[in-house]
Amino acid sequence: MSTPGTQIDPLDGVRILDLFAGPGGLDVAAHFLGYKSIGIEWDRNACETRYAAGLPTIHADVSVMRQTRFDEIPQSVDVLAGGPPCQSFSVAGRGAGRAALETVKEFIRRLVSSEEESRIDEDLHSLNVDPRTALVLEPLRWLLKAIETDGRDPYRVIVLEQVPAVLPLWDVYAQLLRSGEGRLRGVKYDADCWELKTEQFGVPQTRTRAVLVARLVGSGAVSPPDPTNRPFDVRRRGSNTGQTEAFQTKSSAKDTWVSMAKALDAADALPESSVDMSRFRTEGDTKFFVVSNYGSNGDPKKRGRRLSSEPAFTVTGKVSRNKIFRTQADFDENRFDRFTIAESGVLQTFPHNFPWSGNDQAQQVGNAVPPRLGMHVLSSALSGTAPSKAQLADSTTWREVSPELTARLRDIGCGDRTRCPEGSHKVSRARRKPAL
């Protein structure tokens, strides 16, 4: 216990390094599991959210941090985690990364070999692909950096996540980590990768993630976390089925998926809640349906529907564009509502009072790893167990963070801003309205 006036260093006891940390999905998960983490994040807005939430952060480019500031990572870090930007691999994007999968696989193998990394970088830069595609190599580069740096121990545990299209790359990662060859210098991991559906872990949203978990040989075999809920069948019916009949459909199964209404009503019921479902409540029941900004099952020419009694669509950075209707009559007359940022965060399983800050908050929400999924993955990877009921129950409300801690973390993360990504703190001036 600290004595009055003692300033606790927020980096003391940090175990998890979260690359591409975003607003903190994995860090929030780690917090509720009792682990301390530090994130590296390029986006200034996500950093502001992290500072407000009390999450240790370095505002930096992951690649630059590895090359020039690696010694700033606390020695206590023994877990490497991260989710590289997925836009170039995403079904919703143009898919440049998916087309380059075989090429990227070869780069992964080349990095582990004894080939000069500068030559690999030159070849990467010559590729005519989205530059973000190469960021999927960064976790491997960080792993090799730790092995090759005197005074550093290899990471004991590695946890990576991405969109399903990246699973073949995680499979190559796993094969190499098990081999211990080349630049791994005989360091071997038990490693495996899987596709996990978020609704099967209590997330009120259908979203599939490719997850890799690796542990140093001798630390115990890896296995996927056990699902707690049933999968949701997105092909259950056509998107134009009448709403009245579907609203009345309820499942009494113990471990069914969590619906939007259930998650949002639970958040609404919490003290000083940031969520208010009264606008959708009729005779005590919360009822609405959502028309997605995206197409149904990948078809951009169709707009899918989800009922309040079902999980949400995948929450993306465009979540604020989804339209919410109370009734079919409202739909016919185009009277709609939108999810608030707090409500969108709850659908991602962030605490209802998580302090979203900065600009582009919808994008921050959509980019994040659902913390509840993160809790299951991290708990399985670090202890071989599922999160406890108490830990899951506690994860609905965020701790109060003092302005002093936020300021301290901003000083750690940005300092005098000279080492932040170039131009990242520029604020565009608002345009003047023309005189009438």
Side-chain angles (χ1 to χ4, degrees), residues 111-131:
L111 275 173
V112 172
S113 73
S114 299
E115 184 176 352
E116 284 291 332
E117 200 162 338
S118 59
R119 181 180 299 176
I120 295 174
D121 289 337
E122 290 176 4
D123 290 347
L124 268 172
H125 294 152
S126 68
L127 290 178
N128 186 27
V129 297
D130 187 325

Side-chain angles (χ1 to χ4, degrees), residues 84-99 130 132-133 162-166 207-209 294 314 316:
C86 68
Q87 289 88 342
S88 65
F89 293 98
S90 174
V91 171
R94 296 181 180 179
R98 286 177 286 137
D130 187 325
R132 293 171 297 185
T133 302
Q162 249 276 13
V163 293
V166 175
R207 185 188 197 110
T208 303
R209 305 304 289 177
Y294 287 110
T314 297
T316 72

Side-chain angles (χ1 to χ4, degrees), residues 277-339:
M277 286 287 101
S278 61
R279 67 194 192 279
F280 300 121
R281 200 162 287 137
T282 303
E283 298 180 353
D285 291 331
T286 297
K287 294 182 179 180
F288 58 83
F289 63 94
V290 179
V291 177
S292 174
N293 177 60
Y294 287 110
S296 177
N297 293 331
D299 182 355
K301 296 180 181 179
K302 295 177 64 179
R303 293 290 182 252
R305 292 189 184 190
R306 288 285 174 88
L307 309 177
S308 55
S309 57
E310 300 172 330
F313 293 104
T314 297
V315 175
T316 72
K318 305 296 191 298
V319 63
S320 296
R321 298 185 187 181
N322 291 346
K323 295 181 178 180
I324 312 171
F325 301 91
R326 293 181 302 160
T327 64
Q328 185 64 37
D330 284 346
F331 176 79
D332 294 339
E333 298 181 21
N334 201 32
R335 296 193 301 265
F336 59 87
D337 207 323
R338 308 277 194 186
F339 285 126

Side-chain angles (χ1 to χ4, degrees), residues 3 20 46 62 75 85 116 120 131-132 162-163 169 209 240 243 266 273 286 292 295 338 350 396 402-403 419:
T3 58
F20 312 102
V62 166
Q75 291 279 355
E116 284 291 332
I120 295 174
R132 293 171 297 185
Q162 249 276 13
V163 293
L169 301 184
R209 305 304 289 177
N240 294 321
Q243 301 299 316
S273 179
T286 297
S292 174
R338 308 277 194 186
F350 277 87
T396 58
S402 70
R419 295 203 290 179

Side-chain angles (χ1 to χ4, degrees), residues 85-332:
C86 68
Q87 289 88 342
S88 65
F89 293 98
S90 174
V91 171
R94 296 181 180 179
R98 286 177 286 137
L101 274 176
E102 293 305 316
T103 301
V104 177
K105 286 181 183 179
E106 185 57 31
F107 277 107
I108 293 173
R109 296 187 183 97
R110 289 174 64 184
L111 275 173
V112 172
S113 73
S114 299
E115 184 176 352
E116 284 291 332
E117 200 162 338
S118 59
R119 181 180 299 176
I120 295 174
D121 289 337
E122 290 176 4
D123 290 347
L124 268 172
H125 294 152
S126 68
L127 290 178
N128 186 27
V129 297
D130 187 325
R132 293 171 297 185
T133 302
L135 294 177
V136 77
L137 303 174
E138 275 300 322
L140 179 58
R141 291 179 186 265
W142 277 80
L143 169 63
L144 296 173
K145 182 81 171 184
I147 291 173
E148 296 172 345
T149 300
D150 291 338
R152 290 276 180 172
D153 293 326
Y155 301 112
R156 295 186 60 81
V157 178
I158 301 161
V159 177
L160 305 177
E161 65 84 32
Q162 249 276 13
V163 293
V166 175
L167 192 64
L169 301 184
W170 288 166
D171 188 51
V172 175
Y173 260 68
Q175 292 173 31
L176 292 170
L177 292 177
R178 290 192 292 263
S179 75
E181 64 186 38
R183 292 173 63 193
L184 290 166
R185 297 182 177 181
V187 176
K188 295 184 179 181
Y189 291 83
D190 289 307
D192 207 346
C193 52
W194 323 276
E195 282 191 7
L196 302 179
K197 295 180 180 295
T198 57
E199 79 271 18
Q200 290 192 266
F201 296 91
V203 179
Q205 167 196 173
T206 54
R207 185 188 197 110
T208 303
R209 305 304 289 177
V211 173
L212 176 142
V213 173
R215 301 169 73 174
L216 276 176
V217 168
S219 302
V222 301
S223 58
D226 292 328
T228 56
N229 300 74
R230 294 183 179 181
F232 177 73
D233 184 4
V234 298
R235 297 169 295 182
R236 71 213 178 283
R237 53 181 170 81
S239 60
N240 294 321
T241 297
Q243 301 299 316
T244 303
E245 176 184 355
F247 271 139
Q248 296 172 348
T249 302
K250 296 182 179 179
S251 171
S252 59
K254 180 181 179 181
D255 293 323
T256 190
W257 31 259
V258 178
S259 70
M260 289 184 279
K262 182 176 181 179
L264 293 169
D265 279 345
D268 189 357
L270 294 170
E272 300 181 6
S273 179
S274 303
V275 173
D276 183 2
M277 286 287 101
S278 61
R279 67 194 192 279
F280 300 121
R281 200 162 287 137
T282 303
E283 298 180 353
D285 291 331
T286 297
K287 294 182 179 180
F288 58 83
F289 63 94
V290 179
V291 177
S292 174
N293 177 60
Y294 287 110
S296 177
N297 293 331
D299 182 355
K301 296 180 181 179
K302 295 177 64 179
R303 293 290 182 252
R305 292 189 184 190
R306 288 285 174 88
L307 309 177
S308 55
S309 57
E310 300 172 330
F313 293 104
T314 297
V315 175
T316 72
K318 305 296 191 298
V319 63
S320 296
R321 298 185 187 181
N322 291 346
K323 295 181 178 180
I324 312 171
F325 301 91
R326 293 181 302 160
T327 64
Q328 185 64 37
D330 284 346
F331 176 79
D332 294 339

